[in-house]
Amino acid sequence: MIDNEIESRVFKDINFFPDDMKILILGSFPIPLYSQVDKFNTLPKDKKENAWYYSSSRSEFWKLIYDSFQDKIQEEKSFFIQNKKLKKELFTNNKVGIADVFLKCRRKDKNSSKDTDLIIVEYNKILSDVLLSYNTLKLIIFTSRFTENHFFKIINNIDYSILDSFDVNNIYNNKLSNEIISSIRERIIRVNNNKVKIATLTLKRSPIKGITLYSTKRELYSYYLNLYN
């Protein structure tokens, strides 16, 4: 029997939705360092103050964001990555929102950061309202197939339809390997009269041993994040 405590985020500024939001990035749930108070308290003061989405030093997320908007950022990458205020300003100026699909979870293993070890206690149900109310929304980026699957459990109370989209395949035709192309799923969700592109990026590791996928991730994030700017 699993008796680990219910976890939520140690930071309170969740569900970051700028006015006229065009793009929404959705993840699952923070790693234990940012959802368990005892672990969070081991961090130095500056890291506590800047705790937000994907704050782990191992995460590539904010490096990818910086590289995608590099021409719009004056600060050095290392300074930007450690500054929550700059991240919020960048997302606000470029109409990018960010949230997670889960509000509260337990873990099968208290020290595990794997999505598959999460036991969902509470979904982030506001995402259903976001899809209905933000007519400016053009794109949702899912950071994993796991995240995408659970998002559709959240919106099962509203009417929508799904359409195929092959735009990314056409753009990168003959430029990416079949393994990488198969790691990208792009579709369109239609709610009322609004069509929102949904892109799921599941690039975890290179199909070629010893070859990094960072440059490919950077290219794809840059493509999607600048698609409507």
Side-chain angles (χ1 to χ4, degrees), residues 14-24 95-99 126-140 158 189 191-197:
I14 64 172
N15 294 332
F16 185 78
F17 306 140
D19 292 339
D20 301 324
M21 178 171 60
K22 294 181 180 179
I23 299 172
L24 175 59
K95 313 298 182 185
V96 178
I98 188 168
I126 195 175
L127 296 177
S128 186
D129 296 331
V130 167
L131 198 57
L132 290 170
S133 60
Y134 276 82
N135 294 326
T136 55
L137 187 63
K138 300 297 181 186
L139 170 67
I140 298 175
I158 66 175
I189 182 169
V191 180
N192 297 329
N193 294 321
N194 194 31
K195 292 182 179 180
V196 180
K197 182 172 289 188

PDB file of all heavy atoms in Angstrom, residues 14-24 95-99 126-140 158 189 191-197:
ATOM      1  N   ILE A  14       1.247  29.485 -10.149  1.00  0.00           N
ATOM      2  CA  ILE A  14       0.970  28.464 -11.161  1.00  0.00           C
ATOM      3  C   ILE A  14      -0.015  29.030 -12.184  1.00  0.00           C
ATOM      4  O   ILE A  14      -0.481  30.162 -12.068  1.00  0.00           O
ATOM      5  CB  ILE A  14       0.415  27.188 -10.517  1.00  0.00           C
ATOM      6  CG1 ILE A  14      -0.937  27.459  -9.863  1.00  0.00           C
ATOM      7  CG2 ILE A  14       1.406  26.643  -9.488  1.00  0.00           C
ATOM      8  CD1 ILE A  14      -1.647  26.205  -9.357  1.00  0.00           C
ATOM      9  N   ASN A  15      -0.323  28.234 -13.213  1.00  0.00           N
ATOM     10  CA  ASN A  15      -1.303  28.633 -14.229  1.00  0.00           C
ATOM     11  C   ASN A  15      -0.999  30.033 -14.763  1.00  0.00           C
ATOM     12  O   ASN A  15      -1.770  30.975 -14.579  1.00  0.00           O
ATOM     13  CB  ASN A  15      -2.720  28.570 -13.664  1.00  0.00           C
ATOM     14  CG  ASN A  15      -3.148  27.153 -13.341  1.00  0.00           C
ATOM     15  OD1 ASN A  15      -2.673  26.199 -13.954  1.00  0.00           O
ATOM     16  ND2 ASN A  15      -4.029  26.999 -12.371  1.00  0.00           N
ATOM     17  N   PHE A  16       0.122  30.151 -15.435  1.00  0.00           N
ATOM     18  CA  PHE A  16       0.554  31.439 -15.971  1.00  0.00           C
ATOM     19  C   PHE A  16      -0.062  31.623 -17.357  1.00  0.00           C
ATOM     20  O   PHE A  16       0.366  31.020 -18.340  1.00  0.00           O
ATOM     21  CB  PHE A  16       2.088  31.466 -16.054  1.00  0.00           C
ATOM     22  CG  PHE A  16       2.651  32.795 -16.474  1.00  0.00           C
ATOM     23  CD1 PHE A  16       2.736  33.845 -15.580  1.00  0.00           C
ATOM     24  CD2 PHE A  16       3.097  32.985 -17.775  1.00  0.00           C
ATOM     25  CE1 PHE A  16       3.256  35.073 -15.969  1.00  0.00           C
ATOM     26  CE2 PHE A  16       3.618  34.198 -18.181  1.00  0.00           C
ATOM     27  CZ  PHE A  16       3.699  35.244 -17.274  1.00  0.00           C
ATOM     28  N   PHE A  17      -1.100  32.457 -17.413  1.00  0.00           N
ATOM     29  CA  PHE A  17      -1.842  32.683 -18.650  1.00  0.00           C
ATOM     30  C   PHE A  17      -1.842  34.177 -18.994  1.00  0.00           C
ATOM     31  O   PHE A  17      -2.659  34.937 -18.460  1.00  0.00           O
ATOM     32  CB  PHE A  17      -3.296  32.207 -18.514  1.00  0.00           C
ATOM     33  CG  PHE A  17      -3.438  30.777 -18.062  1.00  0.00           C
ATOM     34  CD1 PHE A  17      -4.437  30.428 -17.150  1.00  0.00           C
ATOM     35  CD2 PHE A  17      -2.609  29.783 -18.545  1.00  0.00           C
ATOM     36  CE1 PHE A  17      -4.590  29.115 -16.736  1.00  0.00           C
ATOM     37  CE2 PHE A  17      -2.748  28.462 -18.135  1.00  0.00           C
ATOM     38  CZ  PHE A  17      -3.744  28.125 -17.231  1.00  0.00           C
ATOM     39  N   PRO A  18      -0.953  34.638 -19.858  1.00  0.00           N
ATOM     40  CA  PRO A  18      -0.934  36.069 -20.234  1.00  0.00           C
ATOM     41  C   PRO A  18      -2.202  36.458 -20.990  1.00  0.00           C
ATOM     42  O   PRO A  18      -2.891  35.610 -21.570  1.00  0.00           O
ATOM     43  CB  PRO A  18       0.292  36.171 -21.156  1.00  0.00           C
ATOM     44  CG  PRO A  18       1.081  34.926 -20.931  1.00  0.00           C
ATOM     45  CD  PRO A  18       0.099  33.870 -20.528  1.00  0.00           C
ATOM     46  N   ASP A  19      -2.501  37.739 -20.973  1.00  0.00           N
ATOM     47  CA  ASP A  19      -3.609  38.253 -21.774  1.00  0.00           C
ATOM     48  C   ASP A  19      -3.349  37.937 -23.249  1.00  0.00           C
ATOM     49  O   ASP A  19      -2.210  37.979 -23.717  1.00  0.00           O
ATOM     50  CB  ASP A  19      -3.749  39.760 -21.590  1.00  0.00           C
ATOM     51  CG  ASP A  19      -4.201  40.133 -20.191  1.00  0.00           C
ATOM     52  OD1 ASP A  19      -4.779  39.265 -19.504  1.00  0.00           O
ATOM     53  OD2 ASP A  19      -3.961  41.288 -19.785  1.00  0.00           O
ATOM     54  N   ASP A  20      -4.408  37.610 -23.969  1.00  0.00           N
ATOM     55  CA  ASP A  20      -4.297  37.300 -25.402  1.00  0.00           C
ATOM     56  C   ASP A  20      -3.306  36.161 -25.665  1.00  0.00           C
ATOM     57  O   ASP A  20      -2.569  36.167 -26.656  1.00  0.00           O
ATOM     58  CB  ASP A  20      -3.888  38.542 -26.205  1.00  0.00           C
ATOM     59  CG  ASP A  20      -4.876  39.680 -26.057  1.00  0.00           C
ATOM     60  OD1 ASP A  20      -6.088  39.399 -25.974  1.00  0.00           O
ATOM     61  OD2 ASP A  20      -4.447  40.842 -26.006  1.00  0.00           O
ATOM     62  N   MET A  21      -3.285  35.182 -24.771  1.00  0.00           N
ATOM     63  CA  MET A  21      -2.363  34.059 -24.900  1.00  0.00           C
ATOM     64  C   MET A  21      -2.551  33.334 -26.235  1.00  0.00           C
ATOM     65  O   MET A  21      -3.663  32.973 -26.611  1.00  0.00           O
ATOM     66  CB  MET A  21      -2.587  33.087 -23.736  1.00  0.00           C
ATOM     67  CG  MET A  21      -1.726  31.845 -23.763  1.00  0.00           C
ATOM     68  SD  MET A  21      -1.875  30.875 -22.227  1.00  0.00           S
ATOM     69  CE  MET A  21      -3.645  30.493 -22.211  1.00  0.00           C
ATOM     70  N   LYS A  22      -1.444  33.123 -26.932  1.00  0.00           N
ATOM     71  CA  LYS A  22      -1.473  32.420 -28.213  1.00  0.00           C
ATOM     72  C   LYS A  22      -0.961  30.989 -28.107  1.00  0.00           C
ATOM     73  O   LYS A  22      -1.412  30.106 -28.827  1.00  0.00           O
ATOM     74  CB  LYS A  22      -0.610  33.173 -29.245  1.00  0.00           C
ATOM     75  CG  LYS A  22      -1.117  34.534 -29.636  1.00  0.00           C
ATOM     76  CD  LYS A  22      -0.196  35.167 -30.669  1.00  0.00           C
ATOM     77  CE  LYS A  22      -0.684  36.544 -31.088  1.00  0.00           C
ATOM     78  NZ  LYS A  22       0.242  37.169 -32.083  1.00  0.00           N
ATOM     79  N   ILE A  23       0.000  30.774 -27.215  1.00  0.00           N
ATOM     80  CA  ILE A  23       0.638  29.471 -27.079  1.00  0.00           C
ATOM     81  C   ILE A  23       0.591  29.052 -25.613  1.00  0.00           C
ATOM     82  O   ILE A  23       0.852  29.856 -24.725  1.00  0.00           O
ATOM     83  CB  ILE A  23       2.108  29.519 -27.555  1.00  0.00           C
ATOM     84  CG1 ILE A  23       2.177  29.903 -29.038  1.00  0.00           C
ATOM     85  CG2 ILE A  23       2.804  28.174 -27.321  1.00  0.00           C
ATOM     86  CD1 ILE A  23       3.592  30.171 -29.535  1.00  0.00           C
ATOM     87  N   LEU A  24       0.267  27.788 -25.371  1.00  0.00           N
ATOM     88  CA  LEU A  24       0.242  27.248 -24.019  1.00  0.00           C
ATOM     89  C   LEU A  24       1.117  26.000 -23.960  1.00  0.00           C
ATOM     90  O   LEU A  24       0.927  25.068 -24.747  1.00  0.00           O
ATOM     91  CB  LEU A  24      -1.188  26.898 -23.605  1.00  0.00           C
ATOM     92  CG  LEU A  24      -1.379  26.218 -22.245  1.00  0.00           C
ATOM     93  CD1 LEU A  24      -0.844  27.091 -21.118  1.00  0.00           C
ATOM     94  CD2 LEU A  24      -2.839  25.868 -22.022  1.00  0.00           C
ATOM     95  N   LYS A  95       3.173  36.216 -25.506  1.00  0.00           N
ATOM     96  CA  LYS A  95       1.851  35.589 -25.389  1.00  0.00           C
ATOM     97  C   LYS A  95       1.946  34.076 -25.194  1.00  0.00           C
ATOM     98  O   LYS A  95       1.169  33.298 -25.769  1.00  0.00           O
ATOM     99  CB  LYS A  95       0.990  35.898 -26.620  1.00  0.00           C
ATOM    100  CG  LYS A  95       0.969  37.349 -27.055  1.00  0.00           C
ATOM    101  CD  LYS A  95       0.394  38.248 -25.970  1.00  0.00           C
ATOM    102  CE  LYS A  95       0.318  39.702 -26.436  1.00  0.00           C
ATOM    103  NZ  LYS A  95      -0.133  40.621 -25.370  1.00  0.00           N
ATOM    104  N   VAL A  96       2.900  33.650 -24.369  1.00  0.00           N
ATOM    105  CA  VAL A  96       3.098  32.228 -24.084  1.00  0.00           C
ATOM    106  C   VAL A  96       2.695  31.933 -22.648  1.00  0.00           C
ATOM    107  O   VAL A  96       3.155  32.600 -21.715  1.00  0.00           O
ATOM    108  CB  VAL A  96       4.571  31.810 -24.301  1.00  0.00           C
ATOM    109  CG1 VAL A  96       4.760  30.328 -23.957  1.00  0.00           C
ATOM    110  CG2 VAL A  96       5.014  32.092 -25.734  1.00  0.00           C
ATOM    111  N   GLY A  97       1.847  30.942 -22.453  1.00  0.00           N
ATOM    112  CA  GLY A  97       1.450  30.523 -21.118  1.00  0.00           C
ATOM    113  C   GLY A  97       2.080  29.196 -20.758  1.00  0.00           C
ATOM    114  O   GLY A  97       2.597  28.477 -21.629  1.00  0.00           O
ATOM    115  N   ILE A  98       2.036  28.861 -19.477  1.00  0.00           N
ATOM    116  CA  ILE A  98       2.593  27.592 -19.027  1.00  0.00           C
ATOM    117  C   ILE A  98       1.802  27.095 -17.819  1.00  0.00           C
ATOM    118  O   ILE A  98       1.386  27.882 -16.963  1.00  0.00           O
ATOM    119  CB  ILE A  98       4.097  27.724 -18.700  1.00  0.00           C
ATOM    120  CG1 ILE A  98       4.707  26.349 -18.417  1.00  0.00           C
ATOM    121  CG2 ILE A  98       4.347  28.690 -17.551  1.00  0.00           C
ATOM    122  CD1 ILE A  98       6.229  26.368 -18.380  1.00  0.00           C
ATOM    123  N   ALA A  99       1.577  25.780 -17.763  1.00  0.00           N
ATOM    124  CA  ALA A  99       0.853  25.165 -16.658  1.00  0.00           C
ATOM    125  C   ALA A  99       1.157  23.667 -16.667  1.00  0.00           C
ATOM    126  O   ALA A  99       1.831  23.158 -17.568  1.00  0.00           O
ATOM    127  CB  ALA A  99      -0.652  25.416 -16.785  1.00  0.00           C
ATOM    128  N   ILE A 126      -8.926  23.831 -14.545  1.00  0.00           N
ATOM    129  CA  ILE A 126      -9.055  25.150 -15.179  1.00  0.00           C
ATOM    130  C   ILE A 126      -8.681  25.100 -16.660  1.00  0.00           C
ATOM    131  O   ILE A 126      -9.090  25.951 -17.446  1.00  0.00           O
ATOM    132  CB  ILE A 126      -8.196  26.197 -14.434  1.00  0.00           C
ATOM    133  CG1 ILE A 126      -8.607  27.616 -14.856  1.00  0.00           C
ATOM    134  CG2 ILE A 126      -6.708  25.974 -14.704  1.00  0.00           C
ATOM    135  CD1 ILE A 126      -7.894  28.704 -14.074  1.00  0.00           C
ATOM    136  N   LEU A 127      -7.914  24.090 -17.065  1.00  0.00           N
ATOM    137  CA  LEU A 127      -7.480  23.984 -18.455  1.00  0.00           C
ATOM    138  C   LEU A 127      -8.658  23.792 -19.397  1.00  0.00           C
ATOM    139  O   LEU A 127      -8.604  24.195 -20.563  1.00  0.00           O
ATOM    140  CB  LEU A 127      -6.484  22.832 -18.613  1.00  0.00           C
ATOM    141  CG  LEU A 127      -5.170  23.003 -17.854  1.00  0.00           C
ATOM    142  CD1 LEU A 127      -4.295  21.769 -18.013  1.00  0.00           C
ATOM    143  CD2 LEU A 127      -4.417  24.238 -18.323  1.00  0.00           C
ATOM    144  N   SER A 128      -9.712  23.203 -18.908  1.00  0.00           N
ATOM    145  CA  SER A 128     -10.919  23.065 -19.708  1.00  0.00           C
ATOM    146  C   SER A 128     -11.522  24.436 -20.007  1.00  0.00           C
ATOM    147  O   SER A 128     -11.925  24.733 -21.136  1.00  0.00           O
ATOM    148  CB  SER A 128     -11.929  22.193 -18.961  1.00  0.00           C
ATOM    149  OG  SER A 128     -13.041  21.922 -19.743  1.00  0.00           O
ATOM    150  N   ASP A 129     -11.544  25.315 -19.002  1.00  0.00           N
ATOM    151  CA  ASP A 129     -12.053  26.679 -19.183  1.00  0.00           C
ATOM    152  C   ASP A 129     -11.155  27.487 -20.115  1.00  0.00           C
ATOM    153  O   ASP A 129     -11.642  28.316 -20.895  1.00  0.00           O
ATOM    154  CB  ASP A 129     -12.163  27.394 -17.833  1.00  0.00           C
ATOM    155  CG  ASP A 129     -13.179  26.751 -16.906  1.00  0.00           C
ATOM    156  OD1 ASP A 129     -14.145  26.157 -17.417  1.00  0.00           O
ATOM    157  OD2 ASP A 129     -12.996  26.818 -15.682  1.00  0.00           O
ATOM    158  N   VAL A 130      -9.851  27.253 -20.014  1.00  0.00           N
ATOM    159  CA  VAL A 130      -8.900  27.964 -20.879  1.00  0.00           C
ATOM    160  C   VAL A 130      -9.197  27.673 -22.344  1.00  0.00           C
ATOM    161  O   VAL A 130      -9.221  28.573 -23.186  1.00  0.00           O
ATOM    162  CB  VAL A 130      -7.450  27.563 -20.531  1.00  0.00           C
ATOM    163  CG1 VAL A 130      -6.484  28.043 -21.614  1.00  0.00           C
ATOM    164  CG2 VAL A 130      -7.049  28.143 -19.189  1.00  0.00           C
ATOM    165  N   LEU A 131      -9.446  26.420 -22.643  1.00  0.00           N
ATOM    166  CA  LEU A 131      -9.713  26.035 -24.032  1.00  0.00           C
ATOM    167  C   LEU A 131     -10.989  26.682 -24.552  1.00  0.00           C
ATOM    168  O   LEU A 131     -11.090  27.015 -25.737  1.00  0.00           O
ATOM    169  CB  LEU A 131      -9.815  24.506 -24.116  1.00  0.00           C
ATOM    170  CG  LEU A 131      -9.675  23.873 -25.494  1.00  0.00           C
ATOM    171  CD1 LEU A 131      -8.359  24.260 -26.158  1.00  0.00           C
ATOM    172  CD2 LEU A 131      -9.789  22.362 -25.392  1.00  0.00           C
ATOM    173  N   LEU A 132     -11.942  26.905 -23.667  1.00  0.00           N
ATOM    174  CA  LEU A 132     -13.214  27.514 -24.059  1.00  0.00           C
ATOM    175  C   LEU A 132     -13.147  29.033 -24.131  1.00  0.00           C
ATOM    176  O   LEU A 132     -13.819  29.656 -24.956  1.00  0.00           O
ATOM    177  CB  LEU A 132     -14.313  27.103 -23.081  1.00  0.00           C
ATOM    178  CG  LEU A 132     -14.777  25.650 -23.123  1.00  0.00           C
ATOM    179  CD1 LEU A 132     -15.688  25.358 -21.939  1.00  0.00           C
ATOM    180  CD2 LEU A 132     -15.496  25.351 -24.436  1.00  0.00           C
ATOM    181  N   SER A 133     -12.356  29.652 -23.268  1.00  0.00           N
ATOM    182  CA  SER A 133     -12.423  31.107 -23.107  1.00  0.00           C
ATOM    183  C   SER A 133     -11.330  31.880 -23.846  1.00  0.00           C
ATOM    184  O   SER A 133     -11.517  33.074 -24.120  1.00  0.00           O
ATOM    185  CB  SER A 133     -12.380  31.467 -21.618  1.00  0.00           C
ATOM    186  OG  SER A 133     -11.189  30.993 -21.019  1.00  0.00           O
ATOM    187  N   TYR A 134     -10.202  31.249 -24.150  1.00  0.00           N
ATOM    188  CA  TYR A 134      -9.128  31.975 -24.824  1.00  0.00           C
ATOM    189  C   TYR A 134      -9.257  31.811 -26.343  1.00  0.00           C
ATOM    190  O   TYR A 134      -8.704  30.887 -26.936  1.00  0.00           O
ATOM    191  CB  TYR A 134      -7.751  31.475 -24.358  1.00  0.00           C
ATOM    192  CG  TYR A 134      -7.268  32.122 -23.081  1.00  0.00           C
ATOM    193  CD1 TYR A 134      -7.708  31.653 -21.850  1.00  0.00           C
ATOM    194  CD2 TYR A 134      -6.385  33.204 -23.100  1.00  0.00           C
ATOM    195  CE1 TYR A 134      -7.279  32.235 -20.665  1.00  0.00           C
ATOM    196  CE2 TYR A 134      -5.956  33.799 -21.923  1.00  0.00           C
ATOM    197  CZ  TYR A 134      -6.411  33.309 -20.714  1.00  0.00           C
ATOM    198  OH  TYR A 134      -5.985  33.896 -19.542  1.00  0.00           O
ATOM    199  N   ASN A 135      -9.980  32.743 -26.957  1.00  0.00           N
ATOM    200  CA  ASN A 135     -10.159  32.686 -28.406  1.00  0.00           C
ATOM    201  C   ASN A 135      -8.874  33.005 -29.163  1.00  0.00           C
ATOM    202  O   ASN A 135      -8.770  32.745 -30.366  1.00  0.00           O
ATOM    203  CB  ASN A 135     -11.255  33.667 -28.838  1.00  0.00           C
ATOM    204  CG  ASN A 135     -12.615  33.272 -28.299  1.00  0.00           C
ATOM    205  OD1 ASN A 135     -12.905  32.087 -28.168  1.00  0.00           O
ATOM    206  ND2 ASN A 135     -13.445  34.248 -27.989  1.00  0.00           N
ATOM    207  N   THR A 136      -7.902  33.571 -28.447  1.00  0.00           N
ATOM    208  CA  THR A 136      -6.619  33.900 -29.083  1.00  0.00           C
ATOM    209  C   THR A 136      -5.683  32.701 -29.134  1.00  0.00           C
ATOM    210  O   THR A 136      -4.661  32.744 -29.824  1.00  0.00           O
ATOM    211  CB  THR A 136      -5.912  35.024 -28.297  1.00  0.00           C
ATOM    212  OG1 THR A 136      -5.777  34.633 -26.917  1.00  0.00           O
ATOM    213  CG2 THR A 136      -6.698  36.319 -28.381  1.00  0.00           C
ATOM    214  N   LEU A 137      -6.011  31.625 -28.400  1.00  0.00           N
ATOM    215  CA  LEU A 137      -5.125  30.470 -28.311  1.00  0.00           C
ATOM    216  C   LEU A 137      -5.012  29.762 -29.661  1.00  0.00           C
ATOM    217  O   LEU A 137      -6.015  29.385 -30.260  1.00  0.00           O
ATOM    218  CB  LEU A 137      -5.646  29.499 -27.249  1.00  0.00           C
ATOM    219  CG  LEU A 137      -4.749  28.315 -26.907  1.00  0.00           C
ATOM    220  CD1 LEU A 137      -3.426  28.783 -26.309  1.00  0.00           C
ATOM    221  CD2 LEU A 137      -5.463  27.370 -25.925  1.00  0.00           C
ATOM    222  N   LYS A 138      -3.772  29.576 -30.123  1.00  0.00           N
ATOM    223  CA  LYS A 138      -3.519  28.961 -31.420  1.00  0.00           C
ATOM    224  C   LYS A 138      -2.766  27.637 -31.328  1.00  0.00           C
ATOM    225  O   LYS A 138      -2.824  26.823 -32.253  1.00  0.00           O
ATOM    226  CB  LYS A 138      -2.701  29.922 -32.299  1.00  0.00           C
ATOM    227  CG  LYS A 138      -3.360  31.254 -32.574  1.00  0.00           C
ATOM    228  CD  LYS A 138      -4.651  31.082 -33.346  1.00  0.00           C
ATOM    229  CE  LYS A 138      -5.312  32.426 -33.646  1.00  0.00           C
ATOM    230  NZ  LYS A 138      -6.647  32.246 -34.287  1.00  0.00           N
ATOM    231  N   LEU A 139      -2.061  27.416 -30.211  1.00  0.00           N
ATOM    232  CA  LEU A 139      -1.184  26.256 -30.133  1.00  0.00           C
ATOM    233  C   LEU A 139      -1.026  25.793 -28.689  1.00  0.00           C
ATOM    234  O   LEU A 139      -0.833  26.603 -27.785  1.00  0.00           O
ATOM    235  CB  LEU A 139       0.200  26.608 -30.707  1.00  0.00           C
ATOM    236  CG  LEU A 139       1.330  25.613 -30.514  1.00  0.00           C
ATOM    237  CD1 LEU A 139       1.081  24.329 -31.303  1.00  0.00           C
ATOM    238  CD2 LEU A 139       2.670  26.233 -30.926  1.00  0.00           C
ATOM    239  N   ILE A 140      -1.115  24.480 -28.484  1.00  0.00           N
ATOM    240  CA  ILE A 140      -0.762  23.867 -27.207  1.00  0.00           C
ATOM    241  C   ILE A 140       0.405  22.924 -27.450  1.00  0.00           C
ATOM    242  O   ILE A 140       0.340  22.064 -28.340  1.00  0.00           O
ATOM    243  CB  ILE A 140      -1.938  23.091 -26.593  1.00  0.00           C
ATOM    244  CG1 ILE A 140      -3.119  24.033 -26.303  1.00  0.00           C
ATOM    245  CG2 ILE A 140      -1.498  22.392 -25.308  1.00  0.00           C
ATOM    246  CD1 ILE A 140      -4.365  23.324 -25.807  1.00  0.00           C
ATOM    247  N   ILE A 158     -16.311  18.820 -22.319  1.00  0.00           N
ATOM    248  CA  ILE A 158     -16.663  19.796 -23.351  1.00  0.00           C
ATOM    249  C   ILE A 158     -16.692  19.111 -24.717  1.00  0.00           C
ATOM    250  O   ILE A 158     -16.110  18.047 -24.912  1.00  0.00           O
ATOM    251  CB  ILE A 158     -15.676  20.994 -23.377  1.00  0.00           C
ATOM    252  CG1 ILE A 158     -14.273  20.530 -23.803  1.00  0.00           C
ATOM    253  CG2 ILE A 158     -15.617  21.690 -22.028  1.00  0.00           C
ATOM    254  CD1 ILE A 158     -13.290  21.675 -23.960  1.00  0.00           C
ATOM    255  N   ILE A 189      -7.273  20.563 -32.595  1.00  0.00           N
ATOM    256  CA  ILE A 189      -8.486  20.378 -31.823  1.00  0.00           C
ATOM    257  C   ILE A 189      -9.423  21.552 -32.111  1.00  0.00           C
ATOM    258  O   ILE A 189      -9.012  22.715 -32.078  1.00  0.00           O
ATOM    259  CB  ILE A 189      -8.183  20.265 -30.301  1.00  0.00           C
ATOM    260  CG1 ILE A 189      -9.466  20.024 -29.522  1.00  0.00           C
ATOM    261  CG2 ILE A 189      -7.430  21.475 -29.777  1.00  0.00           C
ATOM    262  CD1 ILE A 189      -9.230  19.646 -28.067  1.00  0.00           C
ATOM    263  N   VAL A 191     -12.760  23.539 -31.036  1.00  0.00           N
ATOM    264  CA  VAL A 191     -13.721  23.807 -29.972  1.00  0.00           C
ATOM    265  C   VAL A 191     -14.548  25.008 -30.391  1.00  0.00           C
ATOM    266  O   VAL A 191     -13.999  26.091 -30.620  1.00  0.00           O
ATOM    267  CB  VAL A 191     -13.021  24.094 -28.625  1.00  0.00           C
ATOM    268  CG1 VAL A 191     -14.046  24.360 -27.541  1.00  0.00           C
ATOM    269  CG2 VAL A 191     -12.119  22.925 -28.241  1.00  0.00           C
ATOM    270  N   ASN A 192     -15.846  24.811 -30.499  1.00  0.00           N
ATOM    271  CA  ASN A 192     -16.728  25.857 -31.036  1.00  0.00           C
ATOM    272  C   ASN A 192     -16.203  26.258 -32.411  1.00  0.00           C
ATOM    273  O   ASN A 192     -16.034  25.421 -33.276  1.00  0.00           O
ATOM    274  CB  ASN A 192     -16.805  27.040 -30.072  1.00  0.00           C
ATOM    275  CG  ASN A 192     -17.410  26.637 -28.731  1.00  0.00           C
ATOM    276  OD1 ASN A 192     -18.257  25.744 -28.680  1.00  0.00           O
ATOM    277  ND2 ASN A 192     -16.982  27.276 -27.655  1.00  0.00           N
ATOM    278  N   ASN A 193     -15.882  27.526 -32.603  1.00  0.00           N
ATOM    279  CA  ASN A 193     -15.377  27.956 -33.911  1.00  0.00           C
ATOM    280  C   ASN A 193     -13.866  28.168 -33.913  1.00  0.00           C
ATOM    281  O   ASN A 193     -13.317  28.688 -34.882  1.00  0.00           O
ATOM    282  CB  ASN A 193     -16.063  29.269 -34.327  1.00  0.00           C
ATOM    283  CG  ASN A 193     -17.540  29.086 -34.581  1.00  0.00           C
ATOM    284  OD1 ASN A 193     -17.954  28.078 -35.148  1.00  0.00           O
ATOM    285  ND2 ASN A 193     -18.339  30.053 -34.156  1.00  0.00           N
ATOM    286  N   ASN A 194     -13.225  27.762 -32.840  1.00  0.00           N
ATOM    287  CA  ASN A 194     -11.784  27.987 -32.712  1.00  0.00           C
ATOM    288  C   ASN A 194     -11.010  26.697 -32.981  1.00  0.00           C
ATOM    289  O   ASN A 194     -11.351  25.634 -32.473  1.00  0.00           O
ATOM    290  CB  ASN A 194     -11.458  28.514 -31.309  1.00  0.00           C
ATOM    291  CG  ASN A 194     -10.061  29.088 -31.229  1.00  0.00           C
ATOM    292  OD1 ASN A 194      -9.554  29.624 -32.209  1.00  0.00           O
ATOM    293  ND2 ASN A 194      -9.435  28.980 -30.078  1.00  0.00           N
ATOM    294  N   LYS A 195      -9.960  26.814 -33.784  1.00  0.00           N
ATOM    295  CA  LYS A 195      -9.078  25.690 -34.055  1.00  0.00           C
ATOM    296  C   LYS A 195      -7.735  25.922 -33.371  1.00  0.00           C
ATOM    297  O   LYS A 195      -7.137  26.977 -33.545  1.00  0.00           O
ATOM    298  CB  LYS A 195      -8.861  25.518 -35.557  1.00  0.00           C
ATOM    299  CG  LYS A 195     -10.081  25.067 -36.330  1.00  0.00           C
ATOM    300  CD  LYS A 195      -9.752  24.885 -37.797  1.00  0.00           C
ATOM    301  CE  LYS A 195     -10.967  24.415 -38.587  1.00  0.00           C
ATOM    302  NZ  LYS A 195     -10.648  24.242 -40.030  1.00  0.00           N
ATOM    303  N   VAL A 196      -7.312  24.951 -32.595  1.00  0.00           N
ATOM    304  CA  VAL A 196      -6.056  25.056 -31.856  1.00  0.00           C
ATOM    305  C   VAL A 196      -5.147  23.898 -32.265  1.00  0.00           C
ATOM    306  O   VAL A 196      -5.540  22.731 -32.154  1.00  0.00           O
ATOM    307  CB  VAL A 196      -6.295  25.017 -30.332  1.00  0.00           C
ATOM    308  CG1 VAL A 196      -4.966  25.127 -29.583  1.00  0.00           C
ATOM    309  CG2 VAL A 196      -7.246  26.125 -29.904  1.00  0.00           C
ATOM    310  N   LYS A 197      -3.961  24.234 -32.731  1.00  0.00           N
ATOM    311  CA  LYS A 197      -2.999  23.193 -33.073  1.00  0.00           C
ATOM    312  C   LYS A 197      -2.437  22.606 -31.779  1.00  0.00           C
ATOM    313  O   LYS A 197      -2.157  23.338 -30.824  1.00  0.00           O
ATOM    314  CB  LYS A 197      -1.872  23.763 -33.921  1.00  0.00           C
ATOM    315  CG  LYS A 197      -0.846  22.733 -34.377  1.00  0.00           C
ATOM    316  CD  LYS A 197       0.133  23.338 -35.387  1.00  0.00           C
ATOM    317  CE  LYS A 197      -0.549  23.593 -36.705  1.00  0.00           C
ATOM    318  NZ  LYS A 197       0.408  24.000 -37.765  1.00  0.00           N
TER     319      LYS A 197
END
